[in-house]
Amino acid sequence: MFRYELIGTDGGARRGVFHTPRGPVRTPGFMPVGTLGTVKGLTIDQVAATGADMILGNTYHLRLRPGHETVAALGGLHKMCGWDGPILTDSGGFQVFSLGAINKVTEHAATFRSHIDGAKIELTPEHSIEIQQALGSDVAMVLDHVIALPAPMTQVEDALARSIRWAARCRVAADREDQALFAIVQGGLDRTLRQQCATELAAMSFEGYAVGGLSVGEPPEDMYTTTGFTTPHLPVDKPRYLMGVGTPRDLLENIARGIDLFDCVMPTRNGRNALAFTDEGPLKLRNAVHKLDTRPLMEDCPCLACRHSRGYLRHLFVAGEMLGPILLSHHNLMYYGRLMQATRDAIEAGEFEAFKNAKLAGWGHEPF
Ligand SMILES: CNc1nc2c(CCNCC3CCCC3)c3nc(N)[nH]c(=O)c3cc2[nH]1
Ligand SMILES: [Zn+2]
């Protein structure tokens, strides 16, 4: 049902395909985030046009609204959204810690109050799997205990050990042949803890492995270093997914360190906020400098925004027109999708290092 095919490597970078019952996922690949069953502001056809092979949904959000039984009654996530390609759902582990009204973690569960109606919810490994199976995603994530960094080593070790025990409980609870289960490696920024966690999870035979606990405020260089000493301890015949990452630079730096899949709200969230990604770095479109600029964001971009001028896009944002966020979200997802396509081609041609350096030079030293 699920098979990762390694087509070739170029240094630390991997070119592959993750085969799923709902179609192949080309890697390296970027997965747009569709938290509530929608990639905000875009129709599912517009998302498909950006080159995305797999999109994300979320257990925490969909459990709260409309509820996983409602999604099941509407035919499951694919039918409800009209996306017949692969869908990956996160387990809710991260959202409980980043969104949930202050929560309590015991060995049994992560308990939190809904940020919507205050209802008390007990997210156990078993309940997270139950929700993901009801949603019908193709890839489910184990429930993990995510902590904010920096944290005392004892706390990192405690959350790591609980995440491994919860992964084992998810493995036992997951009984849908047509749904893959990915494990999540924790361990903060510590080399020894990361290697121990990766090795222990690799022995438990999951269909894929995520690197979690990063992109939580640490400096980008610390993220790259951590990825770099974690991936060598993951199985080569399974996909590696770096959760919540990242900027275009983050994608290329982590692909160079053996990561295959990414998800991030950055292209869509920043698109809604008038920030456009281009080969010359990010553009803040509300800036007056764009007022009379008749050029598109990028000359060769096939997206819905690049049929218009930068001046028009600026006008839409300044006027508060809803078309602004829609067009810029489409451009940014198209930018990420085309970046991944060009990356796959560069790895196949054995030119990834030069490709990465050229892109980094074009982007300049913006924070992004
Ligand atoms: C933004 N940074 C970041 N995100 C992380 C995420 C969330 C990834 N994105 C999920 C989508 C967003 C809403 C719908 C699904 C993480 N998730 C888990 N389970 N564990 C992490 O360590 C984990 C770590 C993460 N770091
Ligand atoms: Zn464009």
Side-chain angles (χ1 to χ4, degrees):
M1 292 287 242
F2 296 90
R3 178 173 61 86
Y4 173 74
E5 177 192 0
L6 180 59
I7 292 171
T9 61
D10 180 359
R14 298 163 20 117
R15 168 74 172 94
V17 180
F18 179 49
H19 297 280
T20 82
R22 281 194 170 84
V25 181
R26 296 164 292 177
T27 66
F30 179 78
M31 304 182 285
V33 169
T35 306
L36 286 163
T38 158
V39 177
K40 294 189 185 336
L42 298 181
T43 67
I44 208 67
D45 295 338
Q46 289 168 342
V47 175
T50 67
D53 290 332
M54 181 147 69
I55 63 173
L56 254 70
N58 188 274
T59 294
Y60 172 86
H61 299 87
L62 291 164
R63 166 71 177 75
L64 299 184
R65 183 168 54 190
H68 56 296
E69 293 99 345
T70 302
V71 174
L74 296 175
L77 209 41
H78 295 85
K79 190 160 175 51
M80 188 178 81
C81 312
W83 176 265
D84 53 20
I87 295 178
L88 181 147
T89 45
D90 194 3
S91 55
F94 184 75
Q95 287 71 35
V96 167
F97 299 100
S98 59
L99 283 177
I102 291 305
N103 53 77
K104 179 164 65 69
V105 182
T106 62
E107 188 54 32
H108 177 59
T111 307
F112 61 95
R113 288 208 174 282
S114 159
H115 70 284
I116 292 167
D117 63 7
K120 185 162 175 282
I121 292 171
E122 194 176 71
L123 192 60
T124 61
E126 295 77 13
H127 188 40
S128 178
I129 295 298
E130 177 191 14
I131 297 165
Q132 296 181 80
Q133 292 190 350
L135 298 175
S137 53
D138 302 277
V139 179
M141 302 305 297
V142 298
L143 182 68
D144 52 340
H145 183 181
V146 190
I147 57 173
L149 291 182
M153 199 50 81
T154 50
Q155 202 183 3
V156 175
E157 288 170 328
D158 174 61
L160 179 158
R162 177 165 300 104
S163 295
I164 291 177
R165 293 192 295 270
W166 281 3
R169 284 169 57 184
C170 287
R171 183 77 275 176
V172 168
D175 56 13
R176 272 190 69 152
E177 283 294 301
D178 62 347
Q179 185 175 64
L181 184 61
F182 280 20
I184 305 175
V185 179
Q186 295 294 348
L189 304 179
D190 183 86
R191 174 189 287 268
T192 308
L193 290 181
R194 284 276 173 182
Q195 289 174 357
Q196 281 171 347
C197 189
T199 305
E200 200 160 335
L201 291 171
M204 293 163 69
S205 155
F206 289 92
E207 286 73 51
Y209 290 83
V211 178
L214 293 175
S215 187
V216 289
E218 76 284 357
E221 295 304 332
D222 289 356
M223 176 211 290
Y224 307 156
T225 305
T226 302
T227 310
F229 58 58
T230 302
T231 51
H233 298 270
L234 294 175
V236 291
D237 62 340
K238 303 288 176 66
R240 293 91 176 261
Y241 160 29
L242 180 55
M243 305 187 85
V245 175
T247 65
R249 177 183 179 227
D250 293 338
L251 268 59
L252 296 191
E253 292 289 1
N254 286 294
I255 285 164
R257 292 165 174 83
I259 296 292
D260 304 308
L261 291 169
F262 302 87
D263 91 273
C264 192
V265 295
M266 189 160 274
T268 40
R269 184 172 294 170
N270 282 291
R272 294 195 299 276
N273 195 21
L275 188 130
F277 287 97
T278 76
D279 279 344
E280 280 69 53
L283 295 177
K284 293 183 170 62
L285 280 179
R286 287 194 181 89
N287 191 313
V289 72
H290 303 299
K291 187 175 170 69
L292 306 174
D293 194 330
T294 58
R295 296 173 298 161
L297 294 169
M298 287 176 67
E299 290 302 336
D300 62 343
C301 180
C303 86
L304 297 171
C306 288
R307 302 172 179 176
H308 301 285
S309 65
R310 297 179 185 195
Y312 175 63
L313 294 172
R314 176 181 175 279
H315 159 66
L316 291 177
F317 279 99
V318 170
E321 283 294 328
M322 62 190 285
L323 188 60
I326 290 169
L327 292 180
L328 220 43
S329 295
H330 195 245
H331 170 80
N332 286 346
L333 283 183
M334 186 71 78
Y335 186 77
Y336 272 56
R338 293 169 71 223
L339 178 65
M340 290 298 98
Q341 179 59 59
T343 300
R344 295 191 291 264
D345 293 344
I347 296 169
E348 285 183 27
E351 295 161 2
F352 176 67
E353 190 60 24
F355 170 79
K356 174 165 87 89
N357 292 334
K359 286 292 179 188
L360 290 174
W363 292 327
H365 299 290
E366 293 282 323
F368 287 122

